[in-house]
């Protein structure tokens, strides 16, 4: 049964809702649809599933882009109503005829909706009956054909056995398999396999078509013998291994050992260089300047894209259309420009799945709109895509960590950040960069070495801690990282540290034991921020990493409300030139904002993501 049908404007004004249904929806499915689907450029999807305590809903929607209207239907997911799409199309058509921008109440639409609903339900019932009627007929036909085929093959069998005495070429039709049972289904295969005619005479000998096992055994035996002979002949007397000596040049200075590791004093402690917190300003506090060169290149690309369109149409028709404007944009008009945009996004390292969904969403938002005068389809599509990308990449909530740190400090508890991600992306290095940035803002930091899996991970973090002169909490290797993190937070509370940065082991998204350990760490310690550290070099794998990390954290958590990824730290951003698509792929698939961008090897090489710069780079 249909739970609710709602009509509202893109501005959020509710114009009409079905009073007949009037069922109180559990949770807020429509608000969630608007927030996490329509505003996030996922409107190209067919439906949206919403889970609430005690209910599971499916939501379907359609747009009237010319009037700026949204039509949403809500029903129980278990029902699988077939008439919802048809009903939404009928409601959209009828409501568009009576819509007036000055009206806000449409009580007279109740009777129209009742008729439309009955019509859609009747069509669905007819379609269901027709499908049920078609299935038995097909089954009867198939049974009749099978019986007929069986009779024909039986007749062929009898004919073949009676013709065996005459010596005709049809002898193979009545032949039996070696086990004495005839096989009607494989009759034609056996016929072609067992009958062979050479020079007009039938060859009935079995050894021509049969597989001779004895020959194979002889071949393998002979092969083994030859191999053994070769092996015996190829034996060489063992000699001492000759070590390569370094070449000595004339008048060369004596050889020195190339050891650049830090010297060790007599006690055994490494003399590590100390980095002062005020040595250099972190790039996080610097403003990035966007050059205007990309705008000129953008205009050139638009002109290039529009040349093929001008060739297809006549001069007068294209000129008249640019002056008068086209009536309504259709899907066929948008396809060439969207295909070019999709290819452009994929060349910028955007995952193919994400690029396709974005283009579908832009097409859904433009279909039916009237093209303005003196505007091209390509420029309209590009403007819509730019607006969509800005909306996706702009954070929906505050990402001011310093404010959150001070709020936690007032509550007399440390602000806990957990760094997670796959192997080799630079979690420990970028954790040290974040620590350096926090030190510049007079925030006391403590590191927690919870990577008890990888050899050298504790020593690496200890080196960073000594250089930055901040405390580190460590328990060595082969310990439970969740317990280590808990003890580190307790230690930070006693010492009065403002922030605890928790380093975790790198793990692939498919490694269930390690993902279970990470889920336990997050559940047990309830951190304030879970940062996913990902490479800017990844393409399609970004979708797999983020989606599976979130899925595993949700599935393996023992909490009814599991913690997922809160933010993203992109590393190696200085190595990708204009291939910035990983940022878009990660934000789109997870809904989490990019909070930090690593762009070098020193502690100061950490900056914020410039959304406008990324969007211009993606579209140029």
């Amino acid at each position: 049964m249909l739970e609710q049908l709602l009509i509202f404007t893109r501005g959020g004004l509710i114009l009409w809702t079905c009073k007949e249904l009037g069922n109180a929806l559990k949770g807020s499915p429509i608000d969630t649809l608007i927030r996490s689907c329509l505003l996030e450029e996922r409107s190209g999807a067919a439906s949206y599933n919403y889970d609430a305590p005690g209910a599971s809903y499916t939501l379907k929607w359609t747009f009237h882009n010319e009037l700026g209207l949204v039509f949403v239907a809500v029903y129980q997911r278990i029902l699988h109503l077939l008439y919802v799409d048809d009903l939404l199309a009928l409601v959209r058509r009828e409501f568009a005829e009576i819509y007036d921008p000055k009206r806000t109440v449409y009580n007279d639409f109740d009777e129209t909706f009742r008729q439309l609903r009955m019509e859609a339900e009747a069509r669905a019932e007819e379609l269901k009956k027709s499908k049920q009627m078609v299935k038995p007929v097909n089954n009867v036909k198939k049974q009749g054909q099978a019986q007929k085929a069986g009779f024909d093959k039986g007749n062929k069998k009898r004919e073949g056995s009676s013709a065996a005495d005459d010596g005709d070429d049809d002898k193979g039709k009545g032949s039996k398999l070696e086990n004495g049972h005839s096989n009607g289904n494989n009759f034609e295969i056996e016929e072609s396999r067992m009958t062979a005619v050479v020079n007009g005479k039938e060859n009935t000998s079995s050894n021509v078509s049969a597989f001779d096992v004895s020959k194979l055994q002889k071949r393998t035996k002979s092969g083994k013998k030859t191999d053994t002979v070769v092996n015996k002949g190829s034996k060489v007397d063992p000699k001492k291994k000759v070590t390569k000596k370094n070449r000595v040049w004339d008048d060369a200075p004596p050889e020195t050992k190339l050891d650049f590791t830090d010297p060790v004093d007599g006690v055994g402690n490494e003399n590590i260089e100390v980095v002062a917190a005020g040595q250099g300003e972190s790039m996080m506090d610097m403003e990035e300047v966007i050059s205007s060169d990309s705008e000129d290149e953008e205009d050139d690309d638009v002109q290039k894209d529009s040349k093929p369109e001008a060739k297809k149409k006549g001069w007068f028709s294209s000129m008249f259309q640019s002056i008068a404007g086209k009536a309504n944009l259709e899907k066929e008009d948008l396809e060439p420009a969207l295909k070019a945009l999709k290819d452009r996004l994929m060349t910028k390292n955007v995952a193919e799945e994400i690029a396709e969904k974005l283009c579908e969403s832009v097409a859904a938002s433009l279909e039916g709109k009237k093209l303005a005068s003196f505007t091209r389809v390509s420029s309209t599509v590009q403007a819509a895509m730019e607006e969509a990308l800005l909306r996706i990449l702009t954070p929906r909530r505050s990402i001011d960590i310093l404010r959150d740190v001070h709020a936690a400090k007032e509550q007399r508890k440390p602000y806990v950040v957990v760094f997670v991600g796959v192997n080799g992306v630079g979690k420990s290095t970028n954790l040290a960069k974040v620590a350096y940035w926090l030190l510049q803002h007079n925030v006391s930091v403590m590191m927690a070495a919870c990577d008890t899996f990888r050899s050298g991970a504790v020593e690496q973090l200890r080196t960073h801690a000594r250089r930055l002169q901040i405390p580190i909490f460590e328990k060595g290797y082969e310990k439970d990282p969740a317990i280590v993190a808990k003890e580190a937070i307790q230690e930070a509370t006693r010492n009065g540290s403002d922030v605890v940065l928790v380093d975790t082991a790198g793990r692939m998204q498919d490694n269930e034991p390690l993902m279970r350990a990470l889920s336990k760490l997050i559940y047990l310690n309830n951190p304030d921020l879970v940062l996913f550290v990902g490479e800017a070099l990844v393409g399609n794998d970004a979708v797999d990493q983020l989606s599976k990390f979130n899925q595993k954290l949700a599935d393996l958590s023992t909490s009814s409300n599991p913690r997922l990824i809160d933010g993203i730290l992109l590393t190696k951003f200085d190595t990708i030139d204009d291939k910035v698509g990983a940022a878009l792929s990660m934000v789109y698939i997870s809904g989490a904002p990019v909070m930090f961008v690593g762009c070098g090897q020193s502690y100061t090489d950490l900056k914020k993501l410039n959304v406008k710069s990324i969007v211009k780079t993606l579209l140029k």
Side-chain angles (χ1 to χ4, degrees):
M1 180 182 173
L2 197 67
E3 295 289 327
Q4 188 58 269
L5 196 139
L6 196 70
I7 303 174
F8 56 92
T9 64
R10 284 188 181 272
L13 177 63
I14 298 176
L15 299 175
W16 181 85
T17 180
C18 184
K19 298 182 182 64
E20 276 188 8
L21 301 174
N23 297 326
L25 297 176
K26 296 180 179 179
S28 54
I30 296 175
D31 291 343
T32 308
L33 171 72
I34 294 170
R35 186 172 58 252
S36 61
C37 191
L38 303 185
L39 292 180
E40 290 296 315
E41 295 301 327
R42 292 179 174 86
S43 55
S47 62
Y48 177 76
N49 293 330
Y50 175 81
D51 293 318
S56 296
Y57 298 115
T58 295
L59 291 85
K60 290 194 173 183
W61 62 91
T62 186
F63 301 112
H64 199 299
N65 290 314
E66 188 178 358
L67 301 178
L69 301 177
V70 185
F71 305 81
V72 180
V74 186
Y75 60 94
Q76 292 283 349
R77 191 186 309 170
I78 198 171
L79 296 179
H80 299 290
L81 300 181
L82 302 175
Y83 63 86
V84 175
D85 293 324
D86 193 16
L87 178 62
L88 283 172
L90 292 171
V91 170
R92 177 180 179 272
R93 185 190 67 196
E94 293 296 329
F95 193 82
E97 293 179 1
I98 65 169
Y99 175 69
D100 184 3
K102 297 178 181 179
R103 284 182 64 182
T104 57
V105 179
Y106 291 87
N107 293 328
D108 54 340
F109 192 68
D110 294 345
E111 184 61 31
T112 308
F113 172 73
R114 193 180 297 111
Q115 295 174 2
L116 294 176
R117 185 182 172 193
M118 291 171 61
E119 183 181 342
E121 287 178 352
R123 285 184 188 177
E125 285 296 326
E126 288 177 8
L127 186 64
K128 196 174 180 181
K129 287 179 182 178
S130 62
K131 284 184 178 178
Q132 289 176 353
M133 290 294 290
V134 167
K135 284 180 182 177
V137 173
N138 290 338
N139 291 337
V140 169
K141 284 183 180 178
K142 287 178 183 177
Q143 289 173 3
Q145 289 173 359
Q147 289 176 359
K148 186 177 179 182
F151 289 143
D152 292 343
K153 287 170 184 175
N155 293 334
K156 285 180 182 178
K157 177 185 170 184
R158 286 193 292 273
E159 289 172 3
S161 59
S162 61
D165 298 332
D166 300 333
D168 292 338
D169 291 342
D170 295 334
K171 180 179 179 181
K173 292 182 181 178
S175 60
K176 294 184 178 180
L177 297 178
E178 292 179 359
N179 57 3
H181 298 284
S182 62
N183 189 348
N185 295 331
N186 297 328
F187 182 77
E188 294 177 0
I189 298 171
E190 296 298 327
E191 177 186 357
S192 59
R193 186 182 295 172
M194 297 187 69
T195 57
V197 179
V198 182
N199 297 328
K201 295 180 181 180
E202 186 178 0
N203 189 353
T204 56
S205 61
S206 60
N207 56 359
V208 174
S209 59
F211 186 74
D212 196 350
V213 183
S214 60
K215 287 184 179 180
L216 179 64
Q217 291 174 349
K218 287 178 182 178
R219 285 179 185 175
T220 53
K221 286 178 182 177
S222 61
K224 286 179 182 176
K225 287 179 181 178
T226 54
D227 290 342
T228 53
V229 171
V230 172
N231 290 334
K232 285 178 182 178
S234 62
K235 281 186 178 179
V236 183
D237 295 333
K239 293 182 180 179
K240 293 181 179 179
K241 189 176 180 180
V242 180
T243 57
K244 185 177 179 180
K245 295 181 179 179
N246 294 332
R247 178 176 293 181
V248 180
W249 300 95
D250 296 335
D251 301 330
E255 184 179 334
T256 57
K257 188 177 180 180
L258 299 175
D259 187 3
F260 294 101
T261 57
D262 293 318
V264 182
D265 57 15
V267 185
N269 297 323
E270 296 178 1
N271 298 325
I272 299 174
E273 180 187 356
V274 175
V275 178
Q279 185 176 357
E281 187 182 1
S282 176
M283 295 176 71
M284 279 288 292
D285 304 318
M286 299 180 184
E287 292 186 2
E288 188 176 355
V289 180
I290 307 171
S291 63
S292 59
D293 299 338
S294 59
E295 294 180 4
D296 301 333
E297 293 177 7
E298 218 173 280
D299 296 337
D300 296 339
D301 290 341
V302 169
Q303 289 175 2
K304 287 177 184 177
D305 293 342
S306 61
K307 281 182 182 177
E309 269 189 82
K311 288 180 181 178
K312 290 179 184 176
K313 298 177 182 178
W315 176 84
F316 180 77
S317 62
S318 61
M319 189 67 183
F320 178 77
Q321 205 173 80
S322 66
I323 295 172
K326 194 172 178 181
N328 284 313
L329 285 172
E330 297 176 0
K331 199 169 185 179
E332 293 76 16
D333 304 324
L334 300 171
E335 278 179 358
L338 287 173
K339 187 179 183 302
L341 262 182
K342 179 186 171 184
D343 295 340
R344 192 184 303 177
L345 288 173
M346 287 172 63
T347 57
K348 303 293 183 181
N349 223 10
V350 178
E352 183 182 3
E353 179 186 348
I354 305 301
E356 191 171 344
K357 286 182 178 178
L358 274 170
C359 290
E360 288 175 0
S361 179
V362 169
S365 65
L366 289 178
E367 194 175 347
K369 271 192 175 180
K370 188 174 181 180
L371 189 67
S373 302
F374 298 103
T375 54
R376 301 186 186 93
V377 175
S378 57
S379 58
T380 304
V381 170
Q382 179 135 342
M385 180 63 80
E386 184 175 355
E387 186 183 342
L389 294 179
L390 281 170
R391 195 181 304 120
I392 291 167
L393 290 171
T394 304
R396 300 194 304 272
R397 58 179 178 81
S398 173
I399 56 172
D400 189 357
I401 292 181
L402 293 174
R403 189 191 66 179
D404 298 338
V405 168
H406 290 303
K409 190 176 181 180
E410 289 177 359
Q411 298 176 7
R412 297 182 179 180
K413 65 175 187 178
Y415 186 82
V416 182
V417 184
V418 175
F419 291 77
V420 302
V422 300
N423 308 77
V425 293
K427 288 183 294 300
S428 303
T429 305
N430 284 276
L431 181 147
K433 292 180 185 179
V434 173
Y436 179 81
W437 171 68
L438 290 170
L439 287 174
Q440 285 189 318
H441 290 274
N442 300 320
V443 176
S444 59
V445 183
M446 188 177 81
M447 293 183 180
C450 296
D451 184 355
T452 61
F453 185 76
R454 176 174 65 91
S455 299
V458 176
E459 288 79 5
Q460 180 186 4
L461 208 64
R462 190 189 302 152
T463 304
H464 286 304
R466 287 180 182 175
R467 293 194 71 192
L468 295 172
Q469 291 185 309
I470 58 178
I472 179 173
F473 186 88
E474 57 176 279
K475 285 288 185 179
Y477 295 99
E478 296 183 0
K479 303 290 190 302
D480 188 352
I483 303 300
V484 175
K486 187 174 183 180
E487 292 177 0
I489 295 169
Q490 292 171 354
E491 180 70 19
T493 306
R494 285 193 295 268
N495 296 340
S497 297
D498 299 331
V499 178
V500 179
L501 302 179
V502 180
D503 185 31
T504 62
R507 65 206 75 211
M508 295 307 293
Q509 59 270 24
D510 298 320
N511 191 331
E512 187 167 331
L514 286 178
M515 288 303 298
R516 192 179 295 277
L518 179 63
S519 179
K520 178 186 175 183
L521 185 148
I522 293 173
Y523 171 70
L524 193 65
N525 296 286
N526 192 23
D528 298 282
L529 184 65
V530 180
L531 268 183
F532 179 84
V533 185
E535 283 183 328
L537 305 168
V538 295
N540 289 325
D541 198 39
V543 178
D544 192 53
Q545 287 179 12
L546 262 297
S547 59
K548 285 192 176 177
F549 252 85
N550 267 336
Q551 182 184 347
K552 292 288 184 183
L553 288 177
D555 293 346
L556 300 176
S557 176
T558 55
S559 173
S560 58
N561 188 19
R563 283 290 301 279
L564 303 179
I565 292 167
D566 301 318
I568 298 167
L569 194 157
L570 271 179
T571 65
K572 307 176 187 178
F573 210 73
D574 54 325
T575 64
I576 56 173
D577 194 24
D578 62 343
K579 305 291 189 294
V580 295
L584 177 63
S585 300
M586 289 184 178
V587 173
Y588 188 92
I589 201 67
S590 67
V594 176
M595 306 185 76
F596 300 101
V597 173
C599 53
Q601 297 181 3
S602 64
Y603 290 132
T604 58
D605 294 329
L606 189 75
K607 63 180 183 180
K608 297 176 183 177
L609 183 74
N610 193 319
V611 174
K612 291 183 179 179
S613 174
I614 294 295
V615 171
K616 287 189 176 181
T617 306
L618 285 170
L619 294 178
K620 76 177 181 181

